[in-house]
Amino acid sequence: MNFPRIILNFSPRISTIDNRTIFLGLTVLSMACATPIMAQTDSNLPNNIPDQNSSESRVPDPPEVGSLSETINWSNSATDLQPLSQNLSPEPNPQEPELNKNPKSLTNSSSDPNYIIPPRIAPEEKINPGTTTLPLNDIPISHLTEWQLTALQAFAETTNSALFFNGILQIHAEVIESLTRNNVYTVDQKGSYFQLRTVPLERTITTTTIEPQTMNGLELQMSLTGACILPGTSPSQQCSYMPGLVIDRNSIDPKFFVPTRVFQTSTVGEVIKPETLAFVERPGFQGGTSAQPIGVDFYFPNTGAFPGNSQSQETDFRRQEEINYTLAGTFSRVRQIVRANDKESVLGRTIRGFTLFFDDENRWTNTIIQAGAQLLPDVIPRLEGSKNPVNSNININLFFAANNTRLPSSSFTIYSAGLGQANSLTSNVTDISQVPTANYHSLWFGLSPVIKRNFEDSEIFYQPTGPQFTLANGGGEGGADTNIQLVSAVNQNTYSTANLQNFYAQVYLGFFQQNVNLVTENIYREKMGYYPHLSLTGDWTGSQYIFRYYTGIIASEEVKPYLGADYTRNTVNGWNFRGGAIGYLNPDQDYYSQVWGSVAKRITFSKSANLILSSGFNYAIDRDTTIGDVVSISPASEVVVAASLNWGIVSIGLSNYFGGILPNSYDNRLLTQLSISPFKTLTLSGYVAPIDETSNRSLYGAGIIWQLKNQYNSPTLSFNWQNQQYDYGYDVFGNQLLVNDNIFTILFRVGHPPNPF
């Protein structure tokens, strides 16, 4: 079996200019491997209610085997392990390097008794960036990185979002190399960088329900007078036997159309003036005179409402999302030291960062912590020398192990310190299984986002859509010669037309209706803050597997300790296996315990054609189901099977997500994907979801990625469109409350140098 050959060759290149030896370089000669499967995790906020975007783990197609520049990746999430497609299968260098052939050629190259080659700056173009590449706050950098800018703008009817950008600028970078007399080769990479990026600060989603209703109203007007029978009065006088109560019609609440103020204009037993009585006896309800008002005059515009009106029988539903960003500026210092002797190589990596947010609720705490962390020491790996020459066949798994360490997603590094080790390759290594495993263990300290969620008090009010109209009215008035009967009960005293002499009563009643809309506004708000996060993590990276462990604590208002591990294995015949678990104390909707796993098989037809079959699951165990006092069950579990056919410039994918198998699962979804790359610099893609029962779904979309040149940092323009639907169920009429939107996203990336890898 022909295994792929990878050699990281620390080979001296000797030439004489002014009697000085000028370079000892690092070269990566070739590489390939068994191809893995990758699991992608979106960074959106996961929840099942339409007010919150969903984050769904997908199992996309494994990437084709490529060059080192195409595959320097690392995982930054417990659920998002991207095993490197270059996990090594090295063979020994068939040609012995000059360092081994002629060590005496370097003996007199330096007058320094401690060095064969004293510390000096190595030419940038001679150092392979695959050995200097590392992640810096979600951006891969190497010693060649000078600057890079990514800008993204989204346009949608229901979403307002500011421009998102992420830029990095190299302030200083250099690589210093040396070779000691006891044959220890050292590469000391140093760099300082400034990053400026926008980070989400607040996300607000306002949903407005406009339900047509018919509002009922009531008007009640009454008065009762008769011969006075109360103490202190004369039977020849007329008294009022009903309190004077009048609703102030100018104080009707404009939201709910209910009275807010009632005036008492008279009391029971009040003697009625003759002119007042004469005015009351006029036709229609007369509530006395302005000088002496009497009787009850009640006006209730809203005594209840029922769905629907003469104008509409359908609810109108609206959704508006607004995302606010804040600026974050970071100054970082990076140092990576690699040392090699005749048997092994070691790596020490130190990153210090200081981030200031334009708007940060923990600004002073974070600033003090970051200032103190700048005093922590560099990691200087130690390696014993020997009389034997340096082994130039360095195990590149050492660099992969350093980049495979778990970094918290969307976080900012304050201090990271790690040590790695790997045995170098020998002539005995003839099989991929014989390539030594590399290990890396680090302490990471930084700032991680913690999201506070809440539902604000709903705004509810009625909105008139037409004039008030009379549905029915009636009434009458008169004295003893009429058939009017009226009873007034006041303070346990009862007065009736049947018992009063010379009485006069008024009774009028009116019913009316009005077309209105019941408007309900709900506001869901997310507020992001950054809190100290301490993590201890490490991994063992082999040619066909990666094992990682991680534990840590997030010092938010509710402290969140966690512990987790994951394992990925690739085989030379195209199998990939992945599994892991993580557990949290005090979980929430972003940091919660889960178990995941996947298996995939690549079937190769030719160099340009293959079929990938895969399946996977993610089980969210204890994701928080409440937001304040509101129950919010957010799906996060899923089971998926997928197939992907890659044939030349065309890729076709089919994925099916099963709902209901695991607790708290996403609903059923079937997704088809198509991608065409007519040129290396142009990719056209699209997708259709013929089945999607999730409440927040995208049924179809398309995208274009165009690069000016086929290089990493060449100007790249990406345009994406997706149709987005937000399903809020059904209204009282049985109509579906569905908000439909089209989201357009434009991304532009540019940097220098155009091809650092």
Side-chain angles (χ1 to χ4, degrees):
M1 180 180 295
N2 293 325
F3 291 98
R5 186 163 66 92
I6 303 173
I7 302 172
L8 179 62
N9 190 7
F10 281 48
S11 58
R13 300 180 181 179
I14 310 299
S15 61
T16 302
I17 299 178
D18 296 334
N19 297 320
R20 292 178 296 174
T21 303
I22 62 170
F23 178 66
L24 182 65
L26 304 178
T27 58
V28 177
L29 301 184
S30 64
M31 76 179 348
C33 76
T35 54
I37 192 169
M38 298 193 301
Q40 253 179 349
T41 301
D42 298 334
S43 58
N44 292 334
L45 302 172
N47 206 304
N48 68 319
I49 60 174
D51 286 344
Q52 303 169 24
N53 292 336
S54 298
S55 170
E56 303 181 15
S57 297
R58 303 300 183 201
V59 187
D61 307 337
E64 297 292 341
V65 177
S67 67
L68 178 64
S69 64
E70 296 170 334
T71 49
I72 291 293
N73 297 313
W74 44 83
S75 175
N76 59 10
S77 171
T79 60
D80 184 14
L81 179 61
Q82 295 186 358
L84 299 169
S85 61
Q86 315 71 9
N87 287 342
L88 309 181
S89 176
E91 295 178 358
N93 192 346
Q95 296 184 355
E96 188 179 12
E98 294 181 49
L99 180 58
N100 297 333
K101 286 183 178 180
N102 187 20
K104 293 183 179 180
S105 64
L106 299 178
T107 302
N108 298 320
S109 62
S110 172
S111 60
D112 191 323
N114 297 317
Y115 291 94
I116 297 175
I117 298 179
R120 63 182 182 181
I121 297 177
E124 289 184 350
E125 68 277 4
K126 300 298 183 179
I127 300 294
N128 190 287
T131 64
T132 62
T133 297
L134 55 88
L136 183 60
N137 296 331
D138 297 332
I139 294 181
I141 65 168
S142 74
H143 72 288
L144 296 177
T145 300
E146 294 183 9
W147 62 271
Q148 180 178 305
L149 175 64
T150 300
L152 182 145
Q153 179 67 64
F155 304 91
E157 293 182 7
T158 65
T159 303
N160 295 326
S161 178
L163 175 68
F164 171 85
F165 65 88
N166 190 356
I168 186 169
L169 175 66
Q170 178 204 103
I171 299 175
H172 171 74
E174 64 180 10
V175 178
I176 299 175
E177 61 176 356
S178 65
L179 179 65
T180 63
R181 293 287 181 181
N182 62 347
N183 295 306
V184 174
Y185 179 72
T186 301
V187 176
D188 192 347
Q189 173 189 352
K190 297 179 181 179
S192 56
Y193 303 86
F194 177 72
Q195 289 177 270
L196 185 65
R197 64 190 295 185
T198 53
V199 295
L201 177 65
E202 189 175 70
R203 178 170 174 254
T204 303
I205 299 176
T206 302
T207 56
T208 304
T209 306
I210 304 175
E211 180 184 345
Q213 291 190 354
T214 300
M215 180 183 292
N216 295 315
L218 170 67
E219 184 178 55
L220 178 61
Q221 297 169 316
M222 299 181 297
S223 70
L224 177 62
T225 63
C228 294
I229 59 174
L230 296 176
T233 61
S234 170
S236 61
Q237 295 176 314
Q238 289 285 314
C239 290
S240 173
Y241 292 96
M242 189 171 289
L245 298 174
V246 178
I247 289 179
D248 181 9
R249 302 198 180 201
N250 294 322
S251 69
I252 301 298
D253 181 77
K255 291 185 177 181
F256 299 102
F257 294 88
V258 293
T260 60
R261 185 182 303 166
V262 178
F263 295 129
Q264 182 173 358
T265 58
S266 62
T267 60
V268 174
E270 182 175 339
V271 177
I272 304 300
K273 299 177 181 179
E275 57 271 23
T276 301
L277 184 60
F279 188 79
V280 167
E281 292 177 352
R282 292 183 178 183
F285 176 76
Q286 307 296 334
T289 63
S290 58
Q292 189 180 32
I294 63 171
V296 172
D297 187 357
F298 285 162
Y299 173 66
F300 302 102
N302 182 9
T303 58
F306 57 88
N309 57 37
S310 60
Q311 298 170 327
S312 177
Q313 298 289 319
E314 184 175 351
T315 300
D316 182 18
F317 193 89
R318 302 170 185 175
R319 178 186 186 275
Q320 188 63 44
E321 178 177 353
E322 185 172 355
I323 303 175
N324 295 320
Y325 294 93
T326 188
L327 288 175
T330 303
F331 176 74
S332 299
R333 291 177 291 159
V334 175
R335 188 178 187 187
Q336 178 172 284
I337 301 175
V338 179
R339 285 179 171 162
N341 61 15
D342 61 324
K343 296 181 180 180
E344 63 179 331
S345 56
V346 292
L347 181 150
R349 179 180 292 177
T350 308
I351 300 176
R352 295 184 185 84
F354 197 104
T355 301
L356 288 178
F357 299 90
F358 183 78
D359 190 341
D360 180 16
E361 61 181 15
N362 303 314
R363 176 177 297 157
W364 292 111
T365 300
N366 292 341
T367 299
I368 294 172
I369 291 175
Q370 292 184 95
Q374 304 306 306
L375 303 177
L376 296 175
D378 287 350
V379 176
I380 309 295
R382 295 185 178 183
L383 190 64
E384 296 293 332
S386 72
K387 295 180 180 180
N388 300 322
V390 175
N391 185 348
S392 61
N393 296 325
I394 303 301
N395 188 346
I396 201 174
N397 274 340
L398 176 65
F399 300 97
F400 293 151
N403 287 339
N404 274 336
T405 187
R406 178 182 183 265
L407 298 177
S409 178
S410 303
S411 300
F412 294 89
T413 298
I414 297 176
Y415 179 74
S416 177
L419 281 171
Q421 182 274 336
N423 292 332
S424 299
L425 307 183
T426 66
S427 59
N428 297 327
V429 177
T430 59
D431 187 271
I432 190 172
S433 62
Q434 297 175 334
V435 177
T437 297
N439 64 84
Y440 183 81
H441 309 276
S442 69
L443 176 71
W444 182 92
F445 182 53
L447 299 175
S448 290
V450 176
I451 300 175
K452 298 178 182 178
R453 297 172 166 88
N454 72 285
F455 287 99
E456 296 186 358
D457 293 337
S458 300
E459 182 79 9
I460 302 175
F461 59 91
Y462 285 101
Q463 184 182 67
T465 60
Q468 192 179 75
F469 59 91
T470 300
L471 188 65
N473 58 24
E477 59 182 292
D481 56 344
T482 63
N483 60 356
I484 290 181
Q485 298 180 5
L486 182 61
V487 177
S488 173
V490 181
N491 296 332
Q492 299 180 348
N493 295 318
T494 302
Y495 309 98
S496 170
T497 54
N499 300 322
L500 292 175
Q501 299 294 322
N502 197 20
F503 71 85
Y504 193 88
Q506 298 180 102
V507 180
Y508 288 93
L509 188 63
F511 298 94
F512 40 81
Q513 292 181 338
Q514 187 174 14
N515 289 335
V516 297
N517 285 332
L518 177 60
V519 181
T520 304
E521 289 185 353
N522 290 302
I523 298 178
Y524 166 77
R525 194 179 306 276
E526 295 175 348
K527 178 74 172 180
M528 182 177 291
Y530 285 83
Y531 291 84
H533 182 176
L534 180 65
S535 174
L536 178 64
T537 179
D539 68 273
W540 287 265
T541 296
S543 299
Q544 294 179 282
Y545 75 91
I546 303 171
F547 175 76
R548 304 191 307 172
Y549 69 90
Y550 27 88
T551 183
I553 185 170
I554 303 173
S556 57
E557 294 180 1
E558 192 174 40
V559 177
K560 303 180 187 303
Y562 63 88
L563 175 66
D566 54 60
Y567 179 80
T568 297
R569 182 171 183 82
N570 303 309
T571 67
V572 293
N573 58 353
W575 284 98
N576 171 268
F577 304 92
R578 184 179 70 94
I582 189 170
Y584 279 89
L585 295 180
N586 302 318
D588 59 19
Q589 291 197 351
D590 302 302
Y591 303 101
Y592 52 91
S593 305
Q594 51 191 307
V595 179
W596 63 91
S598 69
V599 59
K601 169 65 175 175
R602 177 188 291 266
I603 304 172
T604 301
F605 304 122
S606 66
K607 290 184 178 180
S608 60
N610 60 70
L611 174 66
I612 301 168
L613 304 176
S614 60
S615 64
F617 76 94
N618 184 73
Y619 176 29
I621 299 174
D622 54 8
R623 191 176 190 188
D624 193 9
T625 57
T626 60
I627 300 177
D629 297 329
V630 178
V631 176
S632 174
I633 301 177
S634 306
S637 302
E638 64 183 5
V639 176
V640 59
V641 295
S644 175
L645 177 63
N646 306 293
W647 197 291
I649 65 172
V650 179
S651 295
I652 301 174
L654 182 67
S655 304
N656 190 75
Y657 301 86
F658 300 92
I661 296 180
L662 293 175
N664 195 24
S665 288
Y666 290 101
D667 293 326
N668 296 321
R669 186 175 187 234
L670 177 64
L671 179 67
T672 61
Q673 299 167 291
L674 174 65
S675 174
I676 302 175
S677 299
F679 311 104
K680 290 184 177 180
T681 59
L682 180 65
T683 300
L684 309 175
S685 61
Y687 67 90
V688 175
I691 300 174
D692 195 335
E693 299 175 0
T694 59
S695 59
N696 184 351
R697 54 181 173 261
S698 179
L699 299 180
Y700 46 87
I704 300 174
I705 300 177
W706 177 49
Q707 287 182 284
L708 295 185
K709 294 182 180 180
N710 188 27
Q711 296 176 334
Y712 170 76
N713 258 347
S714 59
T716 301
L717 181 65
S718 174
F719 176 81
N720 291 278
W721 159 72
Q722 69 180 57
N723 176 264
Q724 191 73 26
Q725 291 185 352
Y726 307 93
D727 190 350
Y728 288 81
Y730 295 85
D731 64 10
V732 294
F733 310 106
N735 303 310
Q736 189 175 21
L737 300 178
L738 192 66
V739 177
N740 192 73
D741 198 3
N742 292 292
I743 301 175
F744 301 91
T745 304
I746 299 176
L747 181 145
F748 179 73
R749 188 188 69 186
V750 65
H752 186 78
N755 189 7
F757 302 128

